[in-house]
Amino acid sequence: MLLLRRIPRLPSLLSPLRRIHTLPRSRSPILPHNASSRALTPHLRPSSLILRAHASTTLSSETSKSIQESTTNPTPAHPTVYAPPTTGFLSLLPAPIVPYAELVRLQAPTGTLYLLLPCLWSTLLAATLTAPVTPLPAVLGTCALFTTGAFIMRGAGCTINDLWDRRIDPLVSRTRLRPLARGAISVPAAVAFTGAQLLAGLALLVQFPVPVIWAAIPSLAVVAAYPGMKRVTHYPQAVLGLAFSWGALLGFPALGLSLLDPTVATVAALLYGSNVAWTVLYDTVYAHQDIKDDKKAGVKSTAVRHEHDTKRFLAALGVVQVGLLAGAGVVAGAGPVFFVGSCGGAAAGLAWMIWRVRLGVVRECGEWFRWCAWAVGGVAVGGGLIGEYAWKRITEETVEGEVKSQI
């Protein structure tokens, strides 16, 4: 009894055993009728309680660990059967149009933003190089044309890509339900649709100055070649970067600056190179979504090539991107707003993404891919360029006002 008082929980442990001990032999729910009476006598050993508690704790710990791993590393759930969209913009379209809307990725505008951003960057940087600084209406009008063009040409690029990959896409869980892969659009119809998109792009292109037209036409060859690069090199993202960064060259002639001018050409080349590095960076993160299926299908990518050292590869690309961007600012005579906002913001954003992204988690790769477009490309680099343009415009107007007041 003294022992029971000093160990309050021991009676609660003994009570089930006492109940078992008082059960009649014929009604024992545990042992058969021919079991010995000795077997019915409970033996309470401290060691058995400790082992039982330890086993329970271990099981509980392992279960918690399993739950935690399943939470932090969720298995991606890709649908195996196509279901028409029931929410969003696509659900409002007539059923025959939906496959074409899916083909141009209307439901995923991040790719359009990635194509548009270098156009906006070059336009804003070019506006600070003109004398006087380009008026805001001209900048906005040029950006509006580039926005429309990015929407059209991104759709054409997606169609060309899916035509190339129509036999590979069914082997990849993320892409197997694309319109061409599932047979919702025939190859001849997709080719005709591509032609219509390219004609629409040409109709828009002729709205720009002639030098822009000549500078833009070579990009079509790069766009067409990109999908095939997945079959011949582990660096197709570099070719994608050449295509997606082309707009970094077009903003300068769009505002009347010649790409043959040494200063303009240097700024444009540095900005273009910076964007190529950025494209390889974010698309490597994106490619980690499909790394398992790509290896099975024999598709090459930077994610496959650098599977075991991806973060070091991304960090090197980030250094190149920010370095070339800063170089473009130096040659362009940019001020502190650009270097703090665009360069500093891009460096901080990329460092944060590279540190935080878990490349083995498919969902996170897609989320960080989208985040990089808006946070790094839009807010950081774009915001810095907007601030630089506004600062130079205000400074110029202030100086003009002072000069007029003195006359």
Side-chain angles (χ1 to χ4, degrees):
M1 292 301 293
L2 178 61
L3 179 62
L4 294 180
R5 289 194 188 97
R6 297 186 62 181
I7 308 177
R9 298 185 63 184
L10 192 56
S12 63
L13 294 171
L14 289 173
S15 58
L17 299 176
R18 288 171 179 163
R19 284 196 296 271
I20 294 173
H21 184 66
T22 57
L23 284 172
R25 180 174 177 178
S26 60
R27 295 177 58 189
S28 172
I30 300 173
L31 299 176
H33 292 290
N34 60 355
S36 64
S37 60
R38 183 181 178 187
L40 289 174
T41 304
H43 297 279
L44 181 63
R45 298 183 179 91
S47 59
S48 64
L49 292 175
I50 293 171
L51 289 173
R52 187 178 301 171
H54 176 71
S56 177
T57 305
T58 303
L59 179 61
S60 207
S61 173
E62 290 176 353
T63 304
S64 300
K65 183 178 179 183
S66 175
I67 293 172
Q68 183 179 4
E69 288 179 351
S70 66
T71 303
T72 56
N73 296 286
T75 301
H78 296 292
T80 57
V81 179
Y82 175 76
T86 56
T87 60
F89 176 72
L90 265 62
S91 64
L92 305 176
L93 299 176
I97 298 177
V98 170
Y100 291 93
E102 294 173 331
L103 188 61
V104 300
R105 316 287 199 269
L106 276 185
Q107 75 280 11
T110 305
T112 302
L113 181 62
Y114 273 123
L115 187 61
L116 172 63
L117 283 171
C119 302
L120 302 183
W121 294 354
S122 62
T123 301
L124 289 166
L125 194 55
T128 65
L129 294 175
T130 59
V133 175
T134 305
L136 182 59
V139 173
L140 293 177
T142 303
C143 290
L145 286 174
F146 277 132
T147 301
T148 308
F151 174 78
I152 294 172
M153 294 310 298
R154 193 262 177 143
C158 289
T159 308
I160 294 171
N161 180 79
D162 287 7
L163 281 167
W164 269 93
D165 291 349
R166 64 186 183 277
R167 292 186 178 88
I168 294 177
D169 281 345
L171 306 177
V172 179
S173 58
R174 186 178 58 86
T175 62
R176 62 190 170 195
L177 295 180
R178 285 178 175 174
L180 276 166
R182 70 175 191 266
I185 298 176
S186 66
V187 172
V191 171
F193 186 51
T194 303
Q197 291 175 94
L198 293 177
L199 286 175
L202 178 61
L204 181 74
L205 185 60
V206 297
Q207 307 303 315
F208 286 96
V210 173
V212 177
I213 299 174
W214 289 114
I217 288 175
S219 67
L220 295 176
V222 184
V223 171
Y226 160 67
M229 294 297 105
K230 304 172 189 177
R231 297 156 177 81
V232 298
T233 177
H234 278 293
Y235 295 91
Q237 278 76 15
V239 182
L240 179 69
L242 297 176
F244 262 59
S245 304
W246 208 272
L249 305 174
L250 303 182
F252 300 94
L255 294 184
L257 298 175
S258 174
L259 289 174
L260 299 178
D261 179 270
T263 301
V264 174
T266 303
V267 174
L270 290 169
L271 185 64
Y272 181 71
S274 173
N275 205 276
V276 171
W278 187 48
T279 305
V280 178
L281 191 159
Y282 66 66
D283 203 64
T284 298
V285 174
Y286 187 76
H288 266 273
Q289 295 179 107
D290 305 326
I291 191 168
K292 293 181 180 179
D293 291 332
D294 283 350
K295 287 193 291 186
K296 291 178 183 177
V299 176
K300 298 178 173 64
S301 72
T302 50
V304 174
R305 175 64 180 82
H306 295 278
E307 180 180 5
H308 303 296
D309 64 342
T310 299
K311 293 211 171 184
R312 287 194 294 271
F313 180 62
L314 296 177
L317 289 169
V319 171
V320 172
Q321 181 201 346
V322 176
L324 292 176
L325 183 63
V330 170
V331 177
V337 176
F338 170 79
F339 291 105
V340 173
S342 294
C343 300
L350 291 174
W352 177 254
M353 181 182 76
I354 293 169
W355 178 53
R356 293 287 297 172
V357 62
R358 292 180 295 175
L359 297 167
V361 181
V362 173
R363 173 183 53 81
E364 286 198 12
C365 292
E367 290 174 351
W368 283 106
F369 170 77
R370 291 185 289 273
W371 181 90
C372 189
W374 295 99
V376 177
V379 176
V381 181
L385 284 166
I386 291 172
E388 179 69 19
Y389 168 78
W391 175 259
K392 288 198 171 183
R393 181 71 179 161
I394 292 170
T395 302
E396 185 180 74
E397 290 177 351
T398 302
V399 172
E400 290 177 356
E402 291 176 353
V403 171
K404 289 180 180 179
S405 65
Q406 293 175 0
I407 297 176

